[in-house]
Amino acid sequence: MNPKTLTLAILLALPLITVHSADEYPSPASAKPGVKAWAYTPLQRPAVPVVQQQAWVRSPLDAFVLAKLEDKKIKPSAEAERATYIRRATLDAWGLVPTPEEVKAFVNDKSPQAHDKLVDRLLASSRYGERQARRWLDLARYADSDGYNTDGTRPNLWRYRDYVINAFNQDKPFDRFVKEQLAGDELWPGSHEALVATGFLRSFPDEINARDLNLKKQEVANDLTDTVGSVFLGTTFNCAQCHDHKFDKITQKEYYQFQAFFANASWRDDVKALAGKEAAEYQVKLAKWEAATQDIRDKQDALLKPIIEKSEAERLSGFVPETRVSITKPEAERNAYDRWIYHRNLWTMSGRTRNAANTLKTRDKDNYALYQALEGELKKFDHLKPKDPGTLSTMTELGHADSPPTYVLFKGIYDRKLDEVQPGFPALLTSDKPQIVPTASSSGRRTAVANWLASPGNPLTARVFVNRQWTQFFGNGIVDTVSDFGKAGAKPTHPELLDYLADDFIKNGWSVKKLHKQILLSATYRQASAPRPDLQTIDPTNKLLAVFPRQRLEAEQIRDSLLYTAGLLEEKVGGPAVFPPVPANMNIGGQRNLWVTSDNPHDHHRRSIYVFVRRNTPYPLLDTFDWANPQLVHNKREVTTTPLQALTLVNSDLVFDWSKALAGRVLREAPAGESAQIDRVYQLLYGRAPQAAEKAQLLSFLGHQERITRKQLAEGKKVNLPEAYGVSREANVQIDRLYKLMLGRGADRFEKAAFVKHLETQQDKLAKAAGDGESDDSTSGTPGSGKAGKAKLNPARAAAFVDLVHALANANEFTYRF
């Protein structure tokens, strides 16, 4: 068919395709005027369909999928091979590829409980929480920096990230998970964990130097309203900021009524990371230190006071008039609105003592000398001062129960106020009235909305979350617009299935692990992913799931699995964010000091969830593969295909170093020869053995590449050798023995590398001193072992093997999940 004919055929087919799709997947709510859309109706448990191929059904969810297939006279695909299944399930549960040993054990386990045992093992690992948390952090717009122009660091928010990881590992009931994140400070004020959980609300992007704090307050309120609506209710509330929603029945008034739940929410980033007895003991010790040092600190404050007052006066003059009114009011006259503005100003000035001391140093050397002398006096009392436990970020209502008023805004303009409104839920979602019970220090409003959201009677919370989990496993959701269940969103493919799963989720105590286990063990999930030509006309986009959908790995899965197969991944769980190396020419917002590579080399290979998330300058490798942009709620990972992705994997020095480490691992673990080495690299990367034709092709590649690298060596060029190339096993044992004698433990890979480099340097010096000249490039002896330790592979062949490993690590079979 020529191009013109093909184009005409496509154009003629478009109307048919559109009609076909609309007929095939009708909205359950298509309905009659005035009837609520399916998503907003009460959740009811549908009956499990009766199907003909009952033997195929492993879980009730399979019956819902199969009923649709049988209706279209489609047979499901055969079950995937076991090696394929374990790789798929491990990537979904852990975000990592399985080891060859894990694949072999599962393939050889012929017991009827093999799949159950595998899934239980996956769900019990701490790696599970690290993988699942990453998807939730996408929704929480989590980042370790503020964003906007200054993009300042948020040093405490990693505790929220760790809270999410632990919540998934502990299988925290999802309803409790919701309540803690929205109102943990109100519901469990004495709980350190609950305070940290409110980092969900604290994660909004922010401009620390904002001059109009009245506008900033409205921006924060909009963010909280829109985020809660999108994440928990799958509803686009933000459309109603300026006018009544054009598609869903949400009025502008209802938008601001919902926003009123968050009107008093402020935040603190300086709460001590202690709770209960520990917090009380800390306060007692701190009080003793403060009493003993009061006089010294008063003298320091007196030296800094003029500078601080001048700085605050200059900052005050930079605010808009309405902001200045709230900041300058006496404390006794401040209302709830003024308190929010005043607190925000204090937060932006939080570094004023440190800044004042620096100013004193440059402008008044005599007084700075006095200040330093007082610092010396202060240090004499360090034995009384309790160790700083660090701080956490949390939401707060500033110790008051009254809230600022909330108004409908003309076209959403923050200073064009119309009618005042009180907290309320949109009538589209419920007829319930909020049950607000203030406390002595908080309005209780967020507790009311949290209790409503986490109620089994809420029509959306369970539906939306379960649909997100389905999307995670199958690539597309039952409702593909995962944060828009409204009229403008996609129609559900299996609405009864979603309701069944949502009802089951609630009845199982909101257990995420039980939901995931049900999906992982289903016949639908266990299908093969081989293409089926018979589906091209009936179900070309695989909405009915007659085939398991192939997916490219997400950015974190690619990086973490590359590190894992290379034997480099550091599996420490939790802690502050790390800064792995970045390209030398990378521009970090014009300030290189915003990304200072972590000193500890182990931190360079932590899992991607622990890599520092700078809003304005994301980590390059993750950004290239469509990471989650934290400027807004990131509902679904996009999958783009760009030349930069291939070039990044092929040309990145970091990725190539990982390939050298993988090549070194393979040479150590498969010393018998190249055939065994090719087998091993296939097992590590793909979870299978190579076919005979593949192995023959790779051996031919090795020969061709060896000739190229031999020529490069002859020209004096440097070639890439496997990690620890030329280091004998005996030398490794000796280094470990030395470290055990000295430190009581074996050497890690970084210590071994440094030790070998030292030995090589000494060997070169001895050779030159003896007049032997440079060492022979054709072979590489084991450092410190003489000619007896020569490597079996010559350098040209070894470098060729690195190139082979690098090519295989860049292949689609590794970067895709089948």
Side-chain angles (χ1 to χ4, degrees), residues 253-316:
K253 179 181 178 180
E254 287 175 325
Y255 176 85
Y256 289 102
Q257 285 178 318
F258 196 73
Q259 187 171 102
F261 286 109
F262 309 101
N264 204 31
S266 188
W267 63 95
R268 288 182 59 187
D269 295 324
D270 60 348
V271 177
K272 294 299 180 184
L274 294 171
K277 182 180 178 182
E278 290 181 337
E281 290 174 350
Y282 174 84
Q283 288 300 328
V284 170
K285 292 178 181 178
L286 183 63
K288 289 181 179 178
W289 176 82
E290 287 177 340
T293 61
Q294 187 68 56
D295 183 58
I296 298 171
R297 290 184 294 110
D298 285 346
K299 290 176 181 177
Q300 285 184 315
D301 290 344
L303 290 171
L304 298 180
K305 185 178 179 181
I307 298 172
I308 291 176
E309 287 179 344
K310 182 180 179 183
S311 174
E312 290 187 344
E314 290 173 350
R315 176 160 179 77
L316 184 62

Side-chain angles (χ1 to χ4, degrees), residues 381-457:
F381 295 89
D382 281 354
H383 64 285
L384 293 178
K385 191 174 184 179
K387 182 180 178 182
D388 189 349
T391 55
L392 56 87
S393 295
T394 185
M395 295 306 285
T396 174
E397 302 211 352
L398 305 178
H400 294 267
D402 59 322
S403 292
T406 301
Y407 299 93
V408 177
L409 301 179
F410 176 76
K411 294 187 180 298
I413 301 170
Y414 80 100
D415 57 356
R416 299 285 300 278
K417 299 178 176 65
L418 301 176
D419 296 334
E420 183 178 351
V421 294
Q422 299 302 317
F425 306 126
L428 173 68
L429 307 182
T430 183
S431 59
D432 293 348
K433 302 299 178 186
Q435 303 300 310
I436 300 173
V437 181
T439 69
S441 59
S442 204
S443 68
R445 291 185 177 190
R446 283 179 291 116
T447 294
V449 77
N451 286 335
W452 172 69
L453 285 170
S455 165

Side-chain angles (χ1 to χ4, degrees), residues 302-588:
L303 290 171
L304 298 180
K305 185 178 179 181
I307 298 172
I308 291 176
E309 287 179 344
K310 182 180 179 183
S311 174
E312 290 187 344
E314 290 173 350
R315 176 160 179 77
L316 184 62
S317 67
F319 286 124
V320 300
E322 190 175 354
T323 295
R324 290 202 296 270
V325 169
S326 293
I327 293 174
T328 55
K329 274 185 183 179
E331 182 177 1
E333 297 178 16
R334 292 181 205 136
N335 58 28
Y337 186 89
D338 298 326
R339 284 194 298 268
W340 196 102
I341 301 296
Y342 183 81
H343 174 75
R344 166 63 192 231
N345 177 55
L346 289 181
W347 176 69
T348 61
M349 294 292 289
S350 58
R352 61 192 184 278
T353 300
R354 181 180 65 255
N355 296 334
N358 290 334
T359 302
L360 191 69
K361 181 179 180 180
T362 59
R363 297 183 183 177
D364 190 343
K365 296 190 182 301
D366 291 339
N367 276 332
Y368 184 69
L370 291 174
Y371 185 83
Q372 283 188 306
L374 290 168
E375 281 285 294
E377 290 295 314
L378 200 61
K379 288 184 182 298
K380 294 178 182 179
F381 295 89
D382 281 354
H383 64 285
L384 293 178
K385 191 174 184 179
K387 182 180 178 182
D388 189 349
T391 55
L392 56 87
S393 295
T394 185
M395 295 306 285
T396 174
E397 302 211 352
L398 305 178
H400 294 267
D402 59 322
S403 292
T406 301
Y407 299 93
V408 177
L409 301 179
F410 176 76
K411 294 187 180 298
I413 301 170
Y414 80 100
D415 57 356
R416 299 285 300 278
K417 299 178 176 65
L418 301 176
D419 296 334
E420 183 178 351
V421 294
Q422 299 302 317
F425 306 126
L428 173 68
L429 307 182
T430 183
S431 59
D432 293 348
K433 302 299 178 186
Q435 303 300 310
I436 300 173
V437 181
T439 69
S441 59
S442 204
S443 68
R445 291 185 177 190
R446 283 179 291 116
T447 294
V449 77
N451 286 335
W452 172 69
L453 285 170
S455 165
N458 188 296
L460 282 171
T461 305
R463 276 182 181 134
V464 169
F465 181 74
V466 167
N467 186 64
R468 292 189 191 281
Q469 304 314 296
W470 189 269
T471 306
Q472 181 174 323
F473 289 102
F474 293 101
N476 293 311
I478 294 172
V479 177
D480 200 35
T481 48
V482 292
S483 286
D484 188 356
F485 274 45
K487 289 183 178 178
K491 303 300 184 289
T493 57
H494 300 76
E496 297 82 8
L497 168 59
L498 184 53
D499 273 10
Y500 178 88
L501 289 173
D503 181 76
D504 215 42
F505 180 52
I506 295 170
K507 284 183 168 60
N508 282 325
W510 302 81
S511 168
V512 179
K513 285 190 176 182
K514 287 180 181 178
L515 171 64
H516 285 180
K517 184 173 183 178
Q518 186 177 8
I519 293 173
L520 287 165
L521 292 177
S522 67
T524 305
Y525 184 83
R526 287 164 64 164
Q527 290 180 103
S529 63
R532 287 179 47 182
D534 61 309
L535 299 177
Q536 290 305 305
T537 55
I538 306 174
D539 187 23
T541 57
N542 196 31
K543 289 184 177 180
L544 300 182
L545 291 175
V547 177
F548 185 83
R550 302 183 179 204
Q551 296 181 61
R552 203 209 40 223
L553 302 186
E554 292 172 8
E556 295 87 350
Q557 290 174 309
I558 292 173
R559 178 180 177 273
D560 294 352
S561 293
L562 283 170
L563 289 169
Y564 190 48
T565 55
L568 301 176
L569 190 68
E570 296 284 342
E571 300 225 46
K572 175 185 174 184
V573 177
V578 297
F579 294 83
V582 294
N585 62 347
M586 180 175 166
N587 180 22
I588 314 288

Side-chain angles (χ1 to χ4, degrees), residues 576-602:
V578 297
F579 294 83
V582 294
N585 62 347
M586 180 175 166
N587 180 22
I588 314 288
Q591 302 179 56
R592 190 68 194 177
N593 64 348
L594 292 180
W595 194 283
V596 179
T597 302
S598 299
D599 291 331
N600 187 343
H602 294 275

Side-chain angles (χ1 to χ4, degrees), residues 757-806:
K757 186 174 182 179
H758 172 74
L759 291 177
E760 288 174 339
T761 302
Q762 295 304 311
Q763 189 178 34
D764 287 344
K765 288 181 180 178
L766 290 171
K768 288 177 181 177
D772 291 340
E774 295 184 0
S775 58
D776 182 7
D777 273 340
S778 63
T779 59
S780 178
T782 302
S785 65
K787 293 183 179 179
K790 286 182 179 178
K792 292 181 180 179
L793 285 178
N794 65 61
R797 191 77 171 181
F801 187 69
V802 171
D803 291 338
L804 179 147
V805 167
H806 191 56

